[in-house]
Amino acid sequence: MAKQIRIALRNCGVIDPERIEDYIARDGYMALATVLTELTPEAVIEILKKSGLRGRGGGGFPAGLKWEITRKVQADQKYVVCNADEGDPGAFMDRSILEGDPHSVLEAMTINGYCTGASKGLIYIRAEYPLAVERLKTAMAQSREMGLLGENILGTGFNFDIDIRYGAGAFVCGEETALIHSMEGLRGEPTVKPPFPSVEGYLKKPTNVNNVETFANVPVILNKGWEWFASIGTERSKGTKVFALAGKINNVGLVEVPMGTTLREVIFEIGGGIQHGREFKAAQTGGPSGGCLTKKHLDTPIDYDNLIAAGSMMGSGGLIVMDEDDCMVAIAKFYLEFTVEESCGKCSPCRIGNKRLHEILGKITQGNGTMEDIDKLRNLGTVIKDTSLCGLGQSSPNPVLSTLDNFYDEYMEHVKDKKCRSKVCKSLMQYLIIADKCIGCTLCARNCPVNAISGERKQAHFIDQEKCIKCGACMEKCKFNAIIIN
Amino acid sequence: MNMVKLIIDGKTAEVPENTTLLKAAKTVGIDIPTLCYFELKDMNIENRPGGCRVCVVEVKGRRNLAPACNTMVAEGMEVYTHNIRVLNARRTVLELILSDHPAECLTCAKSGSCELQSMAQQLGVREIPYQGEQSKYRKDTSPAIIRDVDKCIMCRRCEMMCNDVQTVGALSAVNRGFMAVVAPAFEMNLEKSPCTYCGQCVSVCPTGALTEVDHSRNVINALADPTKTVVVQTAPAVRAALGEEFGLAPGTLVTGKMVAALRRLGFDYVFDTDFAADLTIMEEGTELLDRLTRYLKGDKDVKLPILTSCCPGWVNFFEHNFPEMRDIPSTAKSPQQMFGPIAKEYFGKKLGIDRKNMIVVSIMPCLAKKYECQRDEFKVDGDPDVNYSLSTRELAHLIKASNIDFNSLPADDFDNPLGESTGASVIFGTTGGVIEAACRTAYELYTKKKLEKVDFKELRGLENVRHATIDFDGLPINIGIAHGLGNARKLLEDIRDGKSHFHAIEIMACPGGCIGGGGQPYHHGDSEIIKLRASALYREDAGKPIRKSHENPFIQELYREFLGKPCGELSHHLLHTHYFDKSAGVFVEE
Ligand SMILES: Cc1cc2nc3c(=O)[nH]c(=O)nc-3n(C[C@H](O)[C@H](O)[C@H](O)COP(=O)(O)O)c2cc1C
Ligand code: SF4
Ligand code: SF4
Ligand code: SF4
Ligand code: SF4
Ligand code: SF4
Ligand code: SF4
Ligand code: FES
């Protein structure tokens, strides 16, 4: 039986997030005290590097290495930024941590400031998270009060303070360079890396950007030792990952599992299987620009590298489960709609390419797709990934490319047979009256909003497909099950 | 400097570190196509948003393709600029751009000089496979510039010019995703923005998204109207650039051919704005000397430095941004606007032509002049002193449309009296030229001595902000020069903060001065072209028999016959102006 291990979520639901005493009672601020009094920045960074902690915001960049790079850049001022933009629809692990355990993030940011040489921290948080903001403010006031934040922390002479900045509400503002520009009051759009924020970030100063969950892991690692942390997970992905389970799964919500847990364990053991005992069809990981995994991936251990190899990604940890009622072409279109909406428009492949992908998928779901369109999807998808400026465009075609790879027959059915097996693509559906079953009660005809049904009383009725808008009213009304969907 | 060795398409390149792949490739004869990238070398102007993605190349070991314009070389790098993966990606990206672009080349003002069009040519695009919805926007016509942003490819060059170089901030990216475009804030009309009409955005836009308002139709109609006497004036910078439109090497002076062409077009009198530039020196120079002498005498009411006012882009800039300092610039009108009343009130009256029947056309390197000639204070009973202002580019089109074989034209001379000019006025067209011309005259008027060495080399060059001290026979005169409005802003802020030690400052809105004006033939980011135009003007100056404005015999005659004395009453009425506070119209983001 697969187990959950709570590291990032260790205090969530356990402590009163508005009482710093509760946090301290569970070893809170112990790591900070040790670090400030006993360890050099280099030593802390070394521990983090050995722990194998990688960024939980999506990219999976080794956290210790990032801290080290930021440390090594010479500058009169440096910044620590906590990325709490959490724009993935359906994801709420960062919110949960900030609401349930705000001090863990504050403590980690302060440790980061000590290691990198920054005296200022900024939390960039979605304005839609008022409770998290409140809890953060309370926590910051408490830790300042107790000398754990602000001037001369714990009497060691180390100064570090934190401010809150509110997100601009765009998904792409979670991308670190866009986030920084947004904080600078500029248009929230990414810039080419390098220079990485660690070298040139907020106000052109070295800026260490980490995700909420990444930070939340840090104090525990320092308390329990890197050996402990590194013993959890796979070869190249250590520790745990929080996933937000959603979709056609019985237990929706947050789970925290060791890296390397299989999809099967997450969905069927922890997640309680598919709703209504239906058959599992696919799981989308990595948020709107992740890929769709299938049955053949059920036993793949989930970690950064395996997910990328499977055409998807870890992203922030969204995990949406689909069953046989989901049309994979429509799913791909749904996600593309999101990226078209959220593209910042700076680079041409993402600005125009995703729009075209979406249009072509629309054409296919409406039954007007051709084989040429399939080729176009593949080429466009590949080129958009290959040429886009930031991570959004570099991953946005994943839903299309992965469904093309794993559910090619469904595309073929849409294109060649003009059929949607999941009966999702309305344009491909036909409402038909089975003459044998129809007794000519006229109920359907009277309920059709567009008068598409004709027929004499007591005679079999007929639906004019040209007129039918596929509302389904007739089928609902028919008492004799004479109407079917083809 | 550390050198880095890398291999590009099998060729070994050795370049200094921090060189882009784009530039490294150039050193081994590989020309990677670009669209958004833009640079004016030696002028500190660079646009590198990495947005168009047509410059992508493959770097061995890297997951995705790299933008050559934005990727720095590294030791041992292996780069492929035209393998199948790169070629396919580049073509697909271009096809995508074209799929969101109106196919209007046949009627587009930019056709022939459009970088998107030539890129499609270069890559051999014959069809656009990715058809779909196109982004549509409202067309916006201002007094000088048309924004047809359906044709915008989001290269952001205009934004860089307007914000970083000019510090005007009239243009920025608005909207997101597919509808993202560069526009004034809230997509309001350019006319409602703090735009100065310097036209620098137009001069760098690779497509037809930004073009000048074309007045050539009005000019053709005027020329065809037998009741009208049509007089034309040509600005100094035009003669140094017009030839480029006819395939002549940059820096070729085509003064004579230009005059001949204008005559063939049917202008009744072909005059020279240079004449008016000499007049400007008389007025501005006198004003400078007046302020200077009063200042030296301790007159507390006199403010120094005096700023030149011959550039209407600059005038718009300070009216919007520094209205509280609008008493510092000289009140002298620009040469274009000095020419107007002299043509209509002096020359016209002399010939007995009513001003209503005289049409004054100007040929300018400039788009701000289009706006300037529409200003109310430059009209008499609704009749503008200068009726139409055409850009160098519009003149070239007019010549081509009139079946004139420009290159075979024999040189011709300007008409008199308003066609005679000195070397001093010719250099008005380049940064530093106005102040050099002013020094030549002011020196002699102030010291009452003959100036032997007329070349003030210390005032020449392309550095952003220059300063020099000129010896007025024992009196050191501190001169400042700025071209580009961002540089001007620095000097203005210094004055405001009381940190300026200059007596006189020359300001030109366009980088390089009028030779780099918004109405000039497109230089496509080649700063050598701008330099060659400057040296052409200095060449013309050096070859002129008279090189000081006050020695122009027709200027002397004008004062004798008509104006009286510089800065006299009639001069004030006809040749000087006043400025407005336009800051209220400026939109400031909270
Ligand atoms: C389109 C896009 C959106 C992103 N959104 C987020 C986000 O909401 N939260 C986050 O932590 N990282 C986000 N990232 C990743 C950040 O750019 C950055 O890599 C991360 O904050 C670094 O922290 P980490 O190393 O701790 O993961 C996003 C990246 C992209 C390309
Ligand atoms: S990939 Fe998309 S979101 Fe990223 S910079 Fe390009 S247009 Fe903007
Ligand atoms: S599905 Fe709706 S529109 Fe179509 S026939 Fe039935 S009632 Fe009429
Ligand atoms: S902008 Fe260029 S490509 Fe577009 S219509 Fe004009 S000439 Fe053609
Ligand atoms: S004309 Fe000059 S000021 Fe106006 S938008 Fe263009 S660059 Fe900016
Ligand atoms: S208007 Fe022209 S210069 Fe400006 S972004 Fe668009 S294409 Fe580029
Ligand atoms: S520098 Fe010359 S071309 Fe540019 S705005 Fe001024 S007058 Fe016009
Ligand atoms: S030229 Fe390099 S991205 Fe546009």
Side-chain angles (χ1 to χ4, degrees):
Chain A
M1 184 75 184
K3 279 226 184 66
Q4 292 201 53
I5 301 181
R6 290 164 74 98
I7 300 177
L9 299 177
R10 63 192 177 280
N11 289 330
C12 294
V14 177
I15 64 168
D16 179 349
E18 294 183 355
R19 282 172 45 90
I20 191 169
E21 298 79 12
D22 278 25
Y23 180 67
I24 291 173
R26 287 179 53 96
D27 295 343
Y29 289 108
M30 195 169 92
L32 178 64
T34 316
V35 163
L36 290 186
T37 54
E38 293 169 26
L39 295 173
T40 62
E42 286 83 0
V44 179
I45 288 172
E46 195 56 29
I47 295 171
L48 266 200
K49 280 168 81 177
K50 283 190 179 145
S51 76
L53 175 66
R54 292 170 69 174
R56 302 297 194 235
F61 191 83
L65 187 57
K66 185 182 283 183
W67 291 30
E68 182 171 61
I69 294 169
T70 318
R71 170 169 181 78
K72 284 191 174 155
V73 184
Q74 299 287 331
D76 55 350
Q77 174 79 48
K78 296 182 189 178
Y79 295 94
V80 181
V81 169
C82 172
N83 187 342
D85 197 45
E86 197 161 55
D88 279 21
F92 56 102
M93 38 291 243
D94 294 348
R95 191 193 72 202
S96 301
I97 292 171
L98 293 173
E99 285 177 1
D101 191 15
H103 283 289
S104 66
V105 174
L106 302 184
E107 182 180 4
M109 288 176 75
T110 312
I111 295 172
N112 182 286
Y114 174 72
C115 292
T116 56
S119 59
K120 180 104 198 139
L122 297 160
I123 302 176
Y124 186 85
I125 185 165
R126 284 173 65 122
E128 297 88 339
Y129 284 178
L131 181 60
V133 171
E134 269 324 297
R135 297 254 158 98
L136 276 171
K137 283 185 179 162
T138 309
M140 276 157 42
Q142 289 170 349
S143 40
R144 272 190 210 113
E145 181 90 357
M146 297 190 62
L148 297 162
L149 193 64
E151 303 271 301
N152 192 18
I153 295 175
L154 290 169
T156 59
F158 174 63
N159 305 325
F160 186 81
D161 214 335
I162 299 177
D163 251 352
I164 294 180
R165 297 297 170 85
Y166 300 97
F171 174 62
V172 74
C173 285
E175 195 282 338
E176 52 192 2
T177 59
L179 180 153
I180 286 168
H181 299 312
S182 162
M183 291 200 307
E184 291 169 335
L186 302 172
R187 181 176 158 91
E189 61 181 17
T191 38
V192 180
K193 294 187 279 193
F196 290 93
S198 293
V199 177
E200 193 184 306
Y202 182 59
L203 304 177
K204 305 242 177 276
K205 302 294 182 191
T207 304
N208 188 108
V209 184
N210 272 125
N211 163 262
V212 172
E213 191 184 331
T214 316
F215 276 129
N217 274 291
V218 170
V220 207
I221 294 176
L222 293 169
N223 286 339
K224 295 198 179 180
W226 64 265
E227 296 89 343
W228 163 77
F229 191 81
S231 71
I232 306 165
T234 61
E235 172 77 30
R236 296 190 55 232
S237 304
K238 300 299 186 190
T240 57
K241 178 76 193 91
V242 182
F243 288 96
L245 304 188
K248 309 283 178 62
I249 191 163
N250 277 319
N251 310 332
V252 296
L254 293 190
V255 300
E256 181 169 0
V257 295
M259 295 277 187
T261 309
T262 64
L263 202 53
R264 186 186 301 282
E265 288 167 326
V266 173
I267 295 172
F268 291 96
E269 296 179 22
I270 298 167
I274 311 299
Q275 285 173 4
H276 313 299
R278 287 178 179 269
E279 192 159 341
F280 167 79
K281 185 171 187 177
Q284 158 98 1
T285 72
S289 51
C292 283
L293 306 180
T294 70
K295 283 179 192 156
K296 71 174 185 227
H297 300 110
L298 274 175
D299 292 310
T300 312
I302 306 174
D303 69 7
Y304 290 103
D305 310 291
N306 285 343
L307 283 179
I308 287 179
S312 185
M313 58 188 205
M314 185 76 83
S316 58
L319 206 160
I320 298 160
V321 177
M322 294 150 214
D323 67 10
E324 58 219 78
D325 283 348
D326 290 305
C327 164
M328 299 315 286
V329 184
I331 290 283
K333 177 163 169 272
F334 172 79
Y335 285 118
L336 251 298
E337 207 162 294
F338 179 84
T339 29
V340 167
E341 204 49 38
E342 294 299 332
S343 160
C344 80
K346 183 172 183 182
C347 70
S348 5
C350 173
R351 180 180 69 246
I352 312 169
N354 284 322
K355 176 87 176 167
R356 298 292 174 252
L357 277 183
H358 183 252
E359 285 169 348
I360 296 171
L361 288 167
K363 208 176 144 196
I364 295 175
T365 54
Q366 275 165 17
N368 301 322
T370 62
M371 284 310 287
E372 216 190 333
D373 289 326
I374 301 286
D375 293 339
K376 284 184 187 171
L377 284 181
R378 261 200 219 288
N379 182 56
L380 268 186
T382 313
V383 170
I384 294 168
K385 277 184 81 153
D386 225 4
T387 57
S388 285
L389 191 157
C390 88
L392 192 144
Q394 285 163 13
S395 57
S396 59
N398 282 339
V400 185
L401 294 175
S402 69
T403 49
L404 266 178
D405 279 347
N406 297 323
F407 299 94
Y408 189 68
D409 45 346
E410 280 193 41
Y411 278 87
M412 285 305 100
E413 286 165 12
H414 283 75
V415 169
K416 289 193 168 155
D417 312 335
K418 309 294 173 198
K419 270 197 179 132
C420 172
R421 65 165 85 162
S422 315
K423 302 193 170 55
V424 171
C425 301
K426 285 204 164 175
S427 309
L428 297 180
M429 297 188 323
Q430 276 190 332
Y431 284 85
L432 292 178
I433 298 175
I434 306 170
D436 286 354
K437 286 194 177 173
C438 177
I439 63 152
C441 73
T442 73
L443 194 58
C444 60
R446 278 182 278 134
N447 277 287
C448 174
V450 292
N451 290 325
I453 305 181
S454 56
E456 294 294 315
R457 222 183 152 73
K458 297 199 174 149
Q459 305 232 326
H461 279 47
F462 172 79
I463 299 176
D464 183 345
Q465 296 300 334
E466 296 280 299
K467 282 192 186 164
C468 172
I469 56 164
K470 285 137 190 170
C471 70
C474 53
M475 191 158 132
E476 229 169 79
K477 289 286 179 222
C478 181
K479 297 191 172 102
F480 305 95
N481 291 328
I483 301 181
I484 57 156
I485 301 174
N486 188 11
Chain B
M1 205 183 307
N2 285 335
M3 296 301 278
V4 169
K5 237 191 216 167
L6 70 163
I7 298 172
I8 308 177
D9 293 339
K11 296 188 177 69
T12 304
E14 200 170 353
V15 294
E17 59 182 2
N18 284 326
T19 304
T20 61
L21 290 181
L22 182 66
K23 287 187 179 167
K26 285 226 166 80
T27 66
V28 287
I30 297 166
D31 203 3
I32 300 169
T34 56
L35 262 182
C36 65
Y37 180 73
F38 179 88
E39 187 192 20
L40 271 175
K41 253 208 312 235
D42 309 327
M43 295 172 88
N44 251 336
I45 296 174
E46 195 183 33
N47 184 53
R48 217 170 60 179
C52 75
R53 314 307 277 187
V54 301
C55 69
V56 286
V57 296
E58 181 174 318
V59 175
K60 199 175 162 186
R62 204 181 131 132
R63 188 166 40 90
N64 48 5
L65 298 178
C69 66
N70 250 306
T71 306
M72 298 301 160
V73 295
E75 186 64 38
M77 228 181 202
E78 267 180 60
V79 181
Y80 303 91
T81 75
H82 62 95
N83 63 17
I84 181 76
R85 178 180 171 203
V86 170
L87 287 181
N88 177 58
R90 182 172 297 143
R91 167 182 284 265
T92 303
V93 168
L94 183 62
E95 286 167 349
L96 282 174
I97 296 173
L98 294 175
S99 78
D100 183 27
H101 191 90
E104 289 173 5
C105 293
L106 279 176
T107 50
C108 180
K110 203 58 178 274
S111 194
S113 350
C114 172
E115 293 176 38
L116 181 62
Q117 189 185 45
S118 44
M119 174 87 38
Q121 289 283 323
Q122 190 188 334
L123 299 200
V125 176
R126 290 291 170 268
E127 59 165 339
I128 300 158
Y130 304 103
Q131 301 286 356
E133 185 191 332
Q134 297 197 345
S135 46
K136 293 265 179 253
Y137 311 87
R138 192 168 45 88
K139 206 163 166 168
D140 167 21
T141 304
S142 70
I145 292 167
I146 301 177
R147 293 176 50 250
D148 183 5
V149 286
D150 288 358
K151 294 173 184 161
C152 173
I153 59 168
M154 277 292 276
C155 74
R156 319 287 283 270
R157 292 182 186 179
C158 55
E159 194 184 348
M160 176 278 297
M161 264 297 178
C162 193
N163 296 351
D164 302 349
V165 178
Q166 301 296 59
T167 65
V168 171
L171 295 175
S172 59
V174 301
N175 304 339
R176 303 193 73 81
F178 191 63
M179 289 309 285
V181 77
V182 176
F186 302 131
E187 292 185 81
M188 62 184 167
N189 289 343
L190 196 61
E191 200 176 351
K192 293 259 153 42
S193 80
C195 172
T196 66
Y197 304 120
C198 71
Q200 283 305 308
C201 52
V202 175
S203 73
V204 298
C205 180
T207 71
L210 295 172
T211 52
E212 68 267 41
V213 174
D214 193 334
H215 285 124
S216 19
R217 235 356 119 83
N218 310 61
V219 172
I220 292 171
N221 289 342
L223 288 169
D225 184 343
T227 67
K228 303 284 191 230
T229 302
V230 190
V231 171
V232 66
Q233 52 161 325
T234 66
V238 176
R239 65 208 66 189
L242 180 64
E244 293 163 29
E245 292 279 351
F246 300 94
L248 299 176
T252 309
L253 276 169
V254 293
T255 321
K257 286 184 192 299
M258 175 183 72
V259 173
L262 288 166
R263 216 158 256 141
R264 288 213 188 175
L265 284 170
F267 288 99
D268 297 301
Y269 295 94
V270 182
F271 288 143
D272 200 348
T273 313
D274 288 17
F275 174 84
D278 279 332
L279 193 55
T280 303
I281 290 300
M282 297 305 292
E283 295 294 326
E284 216 170 61
T286 308
E287 198 184 344
L288 164 72
L289 282 182
D290 174 55
R291 278 211 221 171
L292 190 65
T293 7
R294 280 163 56 202
Y295 180 82
L296 292 174
K297 282 192 191 133
D299 186 340
K300 291 280 176 283
D301 292 338
V302 176
K303 287 198 182 150
L304 279 184
I306 186 168
L307 307 176
T308 58
S309 57
C310 45
C311 165
W314 151 235
V315 169
N316 294 338
F317 182 74
F318 73 71
E319 285 185 331
H320 276 295
N321 296 286
F322 296 90
E324 72 282 6
M325 292 163 72
R326 65 186 187 277
D327 54 340
I328 308 181
S330 157
T331 56
K333 289 181 187 175
S334 75
Q336 160 173 284
Q337 292 307 141
M338 287 206 179
F339 183 93
I342 294 298
K344 286 191 172 171
E345 302 295 334
Y346 165 70
F347 177 70
K349 294 240 163 89
K350 227 162 115 162
L351 297 189
I353 304 166
D354 185 69
R355 68 174 284 149
K356 295 273 178 213
N357 289 325
M358 180 181 271
I359 300 288
V360 174
V361 175
S362 71
I363 312 294
M364 293 285 145
C366 179
L367 301 190
K369 300 263 169 55
K370 284 180 185 283
Y371 165 75
E372 186 187 34
C373 69
Q374 296 172 42
R375 277 177 171 247
D376 283 339
E377 64 269 31
F378 297 147
K379 288 176 184 159
V380 174
D381 300 331
D383 173 54
D385 292 340
V386 177
N387 299 72
Y388 307 111
S389 176
L390 300 188
S391 68
T392 311
R393 296 187 295 262
E394 284 167 87
L395 173 62
H397 286 145
L398 207 53
I399 293 172
K400 288 174 189 166
S402 306
N403 311 334
I404 297 169
D405 178 6
F406 186 80
N407 290 336
S408 70
L409 286 177
D412 216 340
D413 283 329
F414 285 108
D415 290 312
N416 275 332
L418 311 184
E420 182 67 35
S421 67
T422 69
S425 62
V426 172
I427 55 175
F428 256 63
T430 175
T431 168
V434 176
I435 208 75
E436 178 168 346
C439 283
R440 291 181 192 172
T441 289
Y443 180 93
E444 294 201 351
L445 296 185
Y446 180 80
T447 63
K448 314 258 175 343
K449 285 186 184 160
K450 188 172 161 54
L451 178 68
E452 294 304 337
K453 197 180 107 315
V454 294
D455 291 319
F456 290 93
K457 293 252 163 69
E458 58 273 48
L459 299 173
R460 303 180 182 180
L462 274 185
E463 299 80 49
N464 293 332
V465 177
R466 304 192 294 286
H467 39 84
T469 303
I470 305 290
D471 178 18
F472 269 33
D473 200 24
L475 175 69
I477 300 289
N478 297 326
I479 305 254
I481 298 169
H483 56 130
L485 292 170
N487 299 322
R489 181 185 286 277
K490 285 181 210 146
L491 291 187
L492 247 78
E493 283 168 352
D494 281 354
I495 300 173
R496 192 183 53 197
D497 303 343
K499 288 193 288 193
S500 182
H501 63 285
F502 295 121
H503 297 106
I505 296 178
E506 177 205 287
I507 292 177
M508 288 289 161
C510 296
C514 302
I515 46 169
Q520 291 283 56
Y522 296 107
H523 49 62
H524 299 290
D526 185 349
S527 57
E528 285 310 309
I529 293 182
I530 295 178
K531 291 182 200 163
L532 288 166
R533 289 175 189 165
S535 54
L537 292 183
Y538 286 119
R539 229 169 34 243
E540 175 123 322
D541 165 35
K544 284 267 192 179
I546 307 176
R547 300 183 62 196
K548 298 166 199 155
S549 297
H550 57 287
E551 291 176 358
N552 183 334
F554 288 92
I555 290 283
Q556 294 167 346
E557 184 181 299
L558 176 67
Y559 278 106
R560 256 195 329 270
E561 272 190 13
F562 183 62
L563 288 171
K565 62 178 181 24
C567 293
E569 205 182 308
L570 196 51
S571 290
H572 257 288
H573 178 56
L574 293 178
L575 307 180
H576 290 255
T577 184
H578 50 282
Y579 306 112
F580 300 86
D581 178 351
K582 294 194 178 156
S583 58
V586 179
F587 166 79
V588 188
E589 213 169 354
E590 22 122 67

